[in-house]
Amino acid sequence: MQHRMLTLAVLCAIHQTALAEEDAVSLGSVIVTAPAMEEPLTVVTDPKAPRQPLPAHDGADYLKTIPGFNVIRKGGTDGDPVLRGMAASRVSILQDGEVILGGCGNRMDPPTAYIYPEAFDKVTVIKGPQTVLYGPVGSAGTVLFERDPVRFTAPGWNAYGSALFGSFGRNDQVLSASGGSASFYLRGGVTRSEMDDYEDGDGKTVHSRYERWSNDLALGWTPDADTTVELSTVNSDGEAAYADRSMDGTKFERENWGVKFERRNVSDVVEKVQAHAYYNYVDHVMDNYSLRTFTPSMMMPNPAVSNPDRETTGLRLATTLRAGADTQAVVGIDQQRNIHTIRSTMNQTMMPYEDMARVEDARFDNIGVFGEIEYLAGDVDRIVTGLRADQWHAEDKRATVRVGMMSVPNPTANMARDKTLASGFLRHEHDFSAGTTGYVGIGHSERFPDYWELISANKQSETTISAFLTRPEKVTQLDVGMIREAGPWHLSVAGFINQIDDYILIDTQFPGKEGTAIVRNVAANTWGTEAGLAWTSGRWKLDGSLAYVQGNNATDNTPLAQLPPLELHLGAEYSTGTWSLGGLVRKVARQDRVDVGAGNIVGQDIGTTDGFTVLSINGSWKPNKTVLVSAGIDNVTDQTYAEHISRAGNSVMITGYEQTTRVNEPGRNYWIKASIKLD
């Protein structure tokens, strides 16, 4: 612990001596409730800003601080994000404009597992099917993890670094830097995050330790102020223990290459031309012995390993047009292909997986064309609309499928599917007065079933042992809301209601096939709201946020499964500009609207849950304009609780660990973080 505290002290001391006390600037708020919605249905936030609960280590952990988001916990890392009750491919997630898809058939590595939030400059969330610009439309919403453009008008450099230490051996480091001239730039960064098994509020140890790291590098050419060409690469890896399953993740290797071209101010009509090509390869290994004590049993007598991988290539071409002073349009085309293979062994000692050939089990291709227009209809009205068409091609490469402990011929082996799907939206925004904007939007998305719904984990349909012919899911949604800024007050309210045709439900209690994951198309609907209110006066800031969603499975006349309960955040902060002290109360209601055994590709309802209240406190110190030290105590009262949608903690007995109904959240947790920014 001494060397950890010394690291923090050195970071602070260097910059206290470099800058005089009068250079101190106003302290940025520790985000404890949520980043505010400043534009209709859009939240933009800085992943480097201090926040509570404990600063995030992966993409899902970061998103849970935004109203409407929840996380399905499986262990200490790699949870699955859920937006407005919708999980997995219903939330479109892009990293620097690129699609990343995991390999594990049981969602051990969702796309957010390969995201290191503090390596990015901005996170943008667009709620609902209200954009068509970023690949196949996410029916629940779209999330963009982005890095800011780099260009130096004169030789120079900048850098950012942070170090975090906390309970349960939490230990993070982040370093990024950019340098260049008017013609060239070089940007790079490294991240590392580690934590041991944590304890819940009852002192029970949760099988949850992990270690993650990443590095990224980009070389850019800027021959003039309007042109950028960039070549980039990213590499990352890690390992993670899981409390909800019989295997752990021992490899999460990602290799990425990308090239971007952008030309701005091409003509009076053409504002911008963009081209982006990328390659992503994910190599994932899971086993039952590296991160836990292997105990032979009749079902699993030998060490076992599974090694899926996925190769994703993509291309996007887009042009921004100015059709008059009041109209801007973006038109383009994008393409992606992903190929999934797997190799595995039930006896690593006698038949190592490394000696086996990879076998392709699925292939997906998509080509999409899109157009989005924003029209200023006078001084106080805006019309935003977009249309998109996606041509999908999918191939089932499995020769056999598993039914129980047996492999049987696959009835859809080598079958191909082609489908053209359409999505679009129309939104009207109106400024009622200075600082007050209202909006109403209608959106429609058609989502092709993903790998986890069609191929993985031995899923079946209601009538056959293959789910490959599952129908696409169609969502039509109405979004309404208002944003108001008035003196010390900031208010945002958003509401939605939708009709979902052919909702893809995963049902493990289907009559006659209990215990088997059956993929079903059902009729469903959801509705809900998010609201935020903040008051700032002098040194005080009070804010709160609320999120609620409810839904029905109309086909079965049951509640729609895996929906989180009503959630309320209340925060307070007192800041002098150099020091701050704040707190957060998170209150979650009881959830008794359940459909046990039904859910999504990540998990199914287990049963009802009681509500809970969690108190956290934080403080920060900004001695000058480049250094910030923040610290906090999460779950001050050491509450024992689990999120309603989290995975079952008793699905498999893990030697040496006491199992729980769900994967419980961490108990009392202390943390301290120091960050430094140089320009």
Side-chain angles (χ1 to χ4, degrees), residues 429-464:
E429 303 172 5
H430 177 77
D431 298 331
F432 290 98
S433 61
T436 303
T437 298
Y439 62 88
V440 58
I442 185 77
H444 177 78
S445 71
E446 297 182 356
R447 183 180 69 86
F448 195 78
D450 60 30
Y451 170 83
W452 296 273
E453 292 160 334
L454 295 184
I455 303 292
S456 75
N458 307 318
K459 291 184 175 64
Q460 302 180 21
S461 73
E462 297 178 49
T463 56
T464 74

Side-chain angles (χ1 to χ4, degrees), residues 598-611:
N600 51 55
I601 59 175
V602 189
Q604 289 73 50
D605 276 357
I606 301 170
T608 62
T609 51
D610 293 329

